[in-house]
């Protein structure tokens, strides 16, 4: 966000990271800083609170703000090497129940589900009430999507560089279904599809549903999928599609630059391999402008765009959409075959919410929340996890990718943590083989509470126990 | 229905069919009939109106009721012969767009979608408003289903002889998705599955989604799937599942007797081939008691029960459920993989509606409507279609299966009718090969209007034109 207090906070944070202010030291008072930065006192107070939220400062009564800890700036995780052969995708058991009802009593660090405090509860309730009053209209099939919903989507797509007509939009049960419909439109069972590595587990599950083989392309924690790696795979294998999350990929939060998006799109167009783009985190950028999707650079109608409102308006709506381009007929047919249509009421409600104009206002506050809560989790990890831990620096969304020191099993940490009712996502879930065993994905989208703080402290301790070979029986 | 006026109507109808009263003749007046049947005058008046609805009587002002036409009692369609080999299922284009938005301006005789006049619009609206007010609860994932919804389903299942716990219920996007999840739990691509013939196109589409081969078992228009045919297939082929609609199968409306259901279940249990039961029309029986599902006779946990509210409460909700029994873990996993969860608000709304107790009251009136409107369509077909036409006598639901005389192409009738904005379902859709070309499925669930009556008259005329080889260009 371009807000003034954030700029002040960023500069102060940089000073802490540079060692200008060290752990336990008091930072200058508000008047001093107000003069130093040429901003108002209240801006400095907000900057202090922001850095407290990020975990760099601690308020002590009547004494001011103190640097909390040697806030290590953890390095970014390393990229993996490219694997040599495509492999069939098979069920990864651990994925399954992360968001099942039974898990809801655990500390929710596993799932990439937005926290209810940051959802537009009042607005969507009003729009749902509005929708419910439509009576007859709510009871009818909405295939291939309610006109009002598709029109609102077309309007939003235009604002991010993708001008489409309402008829170009297909309503789906979330982005997960959109990706499956895209894969069905483009592939036959046994075909090879390229994905990022680490990859969002839902994408691997989608590949499994359609019976595909996968080739994993190393992905940089900030820059996104390796274009060199992808080029190599294009030369070696008869790829039928490539699935990428160019904006704030899950789990790493990478954002490809416009230039790299353009390269990705033209490289795939030249190879006549369609790109399936998942833009589900696009609206949750932390700073700057709304990043454009790869689809905005698609001259050749070679990109199928998929997204949903599950990370913004509500996961429970199960409402997503896709822009299948020239594959519309095939995508429509598959949608009809798998479940006929997407539920009508959620479409009417979201169309109404978007039409009312409250969505962008809501997004502004949600983005700020997620930036702060993710920063704060990042700081807590830096304090509590073992030396040698690396962590992603996401530019959007609300998950963190944690790479434990070599040889420390994230799977072991995951298992021990679950016994203590702390739920995290083990790195193994994000690949088709035994990659990323020393990784974890943590949900940074929770409001910071004592329960979360204690859980992260405990996770760090568990990681250190696993590192030093301490048996869990001793605790 | 066991109501008195229906009994009187049935007896009077039998007298007309037996030729006791002929076309154009006046039936006896209300006083005479009141004495004759030993019932009240108002019961006779209701019986007269019922027979008028069925198309057997016509009221003439101040003159009484007259027999309308030589109400031919059309024979039931013939069963087909068993095919010798399983075949892969491939997309049937004509199925695709029958319920797309673009079709909605046509006369709706094609789809098996309940007419909005017969849906509980007011009740479900109240329950949806109630659900919308739940706020936060509506925004959360409901995997594997909202507790309140699953509890209500468990209560209803107990009343039809299937006592299950809420945890035994998995919420789905309609019965279509339930059938796909059941197939995924039981089969691998390329496996062979037995279905009825003619078969509901959605079941064939589900088989195609999962990549299966099909063996079609001849199905009797009243008694349901041929157990002899199924036994033969069990002996000849390594079947992995059998999909049956035992109650009011679509398209024929057959209802298997309890005895035959029991035989079906034990035959499949002995062969260790699971039964996937689609009971979507179970609540829409025309007479007598709610027929029990095959699952009620399932001693061996060998039946996966699937159903939905798309034919009763609302198609637009996209809300169904399944009882996967010992296959729950696999079905849950596949549900999670394809779209994570079923939309929350429809589950909350339906749970509330069921809890309020209005559902059974609504069903009583819907059943009466569908019985009368289906009877009426049946009479109209008898009047207008060519000699040699046969038509099903459904015991529930609201579709009719029309078998045109040998050599008269239903596909041709379908194509000509569409040009006149009359939408019917061609018989070819109900099989994997060129079976049932001389058949049509008609939706008998519409309130009887001049527009519908004219469309049926025109359909009969088109069928006669096709029969006599008249080119459509001459009209």
């Amino acid at each position: 966000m371009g807000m003034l207090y954030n700029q002040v906070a960023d500069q102060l944070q940089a000073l802490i990271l540079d060692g200008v202010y060290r752990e336990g030291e008091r930072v200058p008072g508000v008047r001093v800083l107000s003069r130093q930065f040429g901003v108002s006192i209240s801006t400095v107070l907000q900057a202090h609170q922001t850095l407290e939220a990020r975990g760099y400062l601690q308020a002590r009564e009547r004494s001011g703000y103190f640097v909390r800890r040697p806030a290590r700036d953890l390095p970014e995780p390393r990229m993996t090497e490219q694997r040599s052969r495509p492999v069939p995708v098979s069920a990864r058991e651990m994925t399954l129940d992360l968001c099942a009802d039974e898990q809801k009593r655990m500390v929710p660090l596993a799932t990439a589900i937005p926290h209810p405090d940051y959802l537009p509860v009042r607005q969507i309730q009003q729009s749902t009430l509005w929708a419910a009053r439509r009576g007859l209209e709510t009871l009818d099939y909405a295939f291939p999507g309610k006109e009002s919903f598709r029109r609102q989507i077309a309007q939003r797509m235009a604002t991010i560089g993708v001008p489409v007509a309402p008829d170009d939009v297909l309503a789906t049960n979330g982005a997960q279904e959109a990706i499956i419909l895209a894969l069905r439109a483009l592939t036959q069972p046994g075909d090879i599809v390229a994905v990022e590595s680490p990859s969002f587990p839902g994408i691997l599950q989608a590949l499994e549903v359609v019976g595909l083989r996968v080739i994993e392309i190393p992905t940089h924690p900030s820059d996104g999928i390796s274009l060199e790696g992808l080029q190599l795979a294009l030369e070696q294998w008869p790829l039928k599609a490539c699935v990428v999350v160019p904006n704030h990929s899950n789990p790493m939060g990478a954002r490809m630059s416009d230039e790299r998006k353009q390269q990705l799109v033209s490289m795939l167009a030249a190879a006549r391999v369609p790109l399936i783009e998942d833009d589900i985190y696009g609206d949750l950028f932390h700073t700057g402008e709304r990043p454009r999707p790869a689809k905005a650079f698609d001259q050749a109608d070679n990109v199928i765009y998929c997204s949903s409102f599950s990370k913004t308006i509500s996961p429970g709506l199960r409402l997503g959409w896709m822009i299948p381009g020239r594959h519309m007929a095939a995508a429509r047919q598959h949608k009809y075959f798998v479940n006929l249509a997407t539920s009508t009421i959620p479409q009417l409600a979201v169309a109404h919410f978007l039409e009312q104009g409250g969505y962008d206002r809501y997004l502004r506050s949600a983005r700020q929340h997620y930036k702060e809560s993710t920063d704060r989790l990042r700081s807590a990890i830096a304090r509590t996890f073992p030396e040698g831990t690396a962590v992603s620096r996401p530019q959007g969304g609300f998950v963190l990718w944690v790479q434990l020191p070599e040889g420390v099993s994230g799977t072991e940490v995951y298992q021990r943590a679950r016994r203590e009712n702390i739920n995290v996502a083990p790195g193994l879930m994000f690949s088709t083989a035994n990659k990323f065993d020393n990784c974890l994905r943590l949900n940074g989208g929770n409001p910071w509470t004592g329960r979360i703080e204690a859980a992260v402290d405990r996770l760090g301790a568990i990681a250190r126990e696993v590192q030093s070979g301490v048996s869990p029986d001793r605790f």
Side-chain angles (χ1 to χ4, degrees), chain A:
Chain A
M1 308 294 286
M3 293 179 187
L4 200 52
Y5 71 87
N6 265 320
Q7 292 172 16
V8 174
D10 289 346
Q11 290 182 45
L12 211 47
Q13 180 177 323
L15 292 170
I16 293 169
L17 292 175
D18 290 346
V20 176
Y21 302 114
R22 293 180 180 264
E23 190 194 356
E25 277 188 349
R26 183 177 173 280
V27 293
V30 283
R31 302 233 172 98
V32 177
L33 290 174
S34 160
R35 275 197 306 276
Q36 183 177 328
F37 290 110
V39 298
S40 72
I41 301 256
S42 74
T43 300
V44 174
L45 283 171
Q46 277 184 289
H48 274 157
Q49 283 158 11
T50 302
L51 281 181
E52 190 184 16
R54 293 185 195 168
Y56 287 98
L57 290 182
Q58 188 165 33
R60 291 192 201 150
E61 222 172 323
R62 279 188 290 268
S63 312
Y65 279 90
F66 290 76
V67 177
R68 192 176 174 167
R69 275 270 190 161
R72 288 186 287 155
D73 189 29
L74 298 186
E76 285 189 303
R78 292 172 298 284
M79 274 173 83
T80 56
E81 282 166 32
Q82 191 136 351
R83 268 165 63 174
S84 48
R85 303 194 63 80
V87 294
V89 185
S90 71
R92 285 153 309 290
E93 294 299 331
M94 281 181 297
T95 311
L96 185 55
D97 284 342
L98 285 187
C99 81
D101 273 344
E102 302 87 277
Q103 309 293 320
K104 286 178 183 164
R105 65 196 162 78
M106 304 181 89
V107 182
L109 292 166
T111 52
I113 299 179
H115 192 277
D117 281 9
Y118 301 155
L119 293 175
V121 181
R122 190 184 47 79
Q123 297 96 310
I124 193 64
Q125 173 164 328
Q126 282 177 353
S127 290
T128 308
L129 288 167
W130 178 90
R133 290 191 200 98
R134 301 281 77 67
L136 261 186
E137 194 184 354
T138 66
L139 301 187
D140 201 8
Y141 281 118
F143 175 75
K146 281 307 285 183
E147 165 67 17
S148 59
F149 173 70
R150 304 205 291 165
R151 201 169 55 243
Q152 287 300 320
I153 294 296
Q155 286 182 18
R156 287 202 76 79
M157 294 304 299
T159 67
I160 59 171
V162 184
V164 291
D167 279 352
D168 297 324
V169 180
L170 182 61
T172 63
N173 290 303
Q176 178 71 9
E177 182 172 282
I179 293 168
I180 290 174
L181 298 177
L183 288 169
R184 281 199 188 282
L186 299 173
T187 68
Q188 295 296 320
D191 281 349
I192 307 171
V193 170
V195 304
E196 296 169 272
S197 182
S199 181
F200 168 53
I203 291 173
L204 298 174
Q205 290 155 14
L207 263 61
E208 182 178 346
V209 165
V210 187
L212 299 167
R213 286 182 294 161
V214 68
I215 186 112
E216 298 185 23
I217 311 295
T219 298
H220 187 275
S222 287
D223 301 336
I225 191 167
S226 161
L227 298 179
E228 301 70 30
L230 180 58
Q231 187 58 52
L232 200 66
L234 286 168
E235 285 159 16
Q236 282 187 305
W237 306 104
L239 301 185
K240 287 296 166 9
C242 176
V243 190
V244 177
V245 187
N247 291 324
H248 324 127
S249 65
N250 178 349
M252 293 210 283
R255 186 199 299 180
M256 298 180 76
S257 65
D258 279 0
E259 199 190 335
R260 300 191 75 251
K261 280 174 192 155
Q262 240 165 335
Q263 285 171 13
L264 172 70
V265 168
S266 50
M267 173 189 295
L268 288 169
R272 296 178 185 281
V273 174
L275 173 63
I276 300 172
E277 171 174 37
D278 177 1
D279 194 33
I280 193 168
Y281 291 100
D283 281 344
L284 295 180
F285 54 97
H286 289 172
T287 53
E289 297 290 309
R290 203 305 185 179
R292 290 212 277 175
K295 179 75 185 165
F297 304 100
D298 179 29
Q299 306 290 322
D301 192 2
N302 196 50
V303 179
I304 296 184
Y305 179 94
C306 304
S307 194
S308 97
F309 291 109
S310 297
K311 306 300 178 190
T312 50
I313 298 180
S314 149
L317 288 173
R318 310 305 310 123
L319 184 55
W321 72 95
M322 65 193 296
I323 316 283
R326 67 195 152 97
H327 302 286
M328 178 55 109
R332 260 176 82 124
Q333 171 170 318
H334 290 298
K335 170 66 183 172
Y336 190 82
F337 279 21
V338 296
N339 53 36
L340 282 77
T342 298
S343 190
T344 305
I345 288 175
Q347 294 185 61
L348 287 170
V350 167
H352 182 259
F353 179 26
L354 295 179
E355 209 180 308
Q356 297 296 299
Y359 183 57
D360 284 307
R361 197 164 53 245
Y362 150 71
L363 278 180
R364 275 195 292 279
S365 86
R367 282 196 295 265
Q368 187 59 29
H369 282 307
Y370 290 133
K371 175 168 167 32
E372 287 176 11
S373 63
T374 312
D375 279 351
R376 189 146 197 174
L377 177 61
R378 204 165 181 283
S379 303
I381 291 167
R383 280 203 313 279
T384 68
F385 274 60
E387 198 67 38
T389 297
V391 65
S392 60
R393 293 171 192 159
Q395 295 172 274
F398 47 79
V399 295
L400 289 178
W401 182 245
V402 179
Q403 197 175 54
L404 299 169
E406 199 69 48
V408 179
S409 166
T411 314
E412 180 72 25
V413 173
Y414 154 78
Q415 283 159 349
R416 292 196 195 188
R418 274 174 77 90
R419 280 180 228 133
E420 302 181 25
N421 276 332
I422 301 169
N423 212 3
V424 301
L428 286 181
M429 277 175 45
F430 299 84
S431 171
T432 47
N434 292 326
K435 270 198 218 175
F436 308 119
D437 176 55
N438 69 327
C439 295
L440 298 171
R441 187 194 66 187
L442 298 189
N443 177 1
N446 297 294
W448 197 253
T449 61
R451 184 176 181 234
I452 297 281
E453 182 160 20
V456 178
D457 281 351
R458 188 62 201 124
L459 273 178
I462 292 172
R464 281 180 272 113
E465 289 160 21
V466 170
Q467 185 177 33
S468 57
V470 177
S471 148
D473 299 332
R474 291 183 46 192
F475 292 89

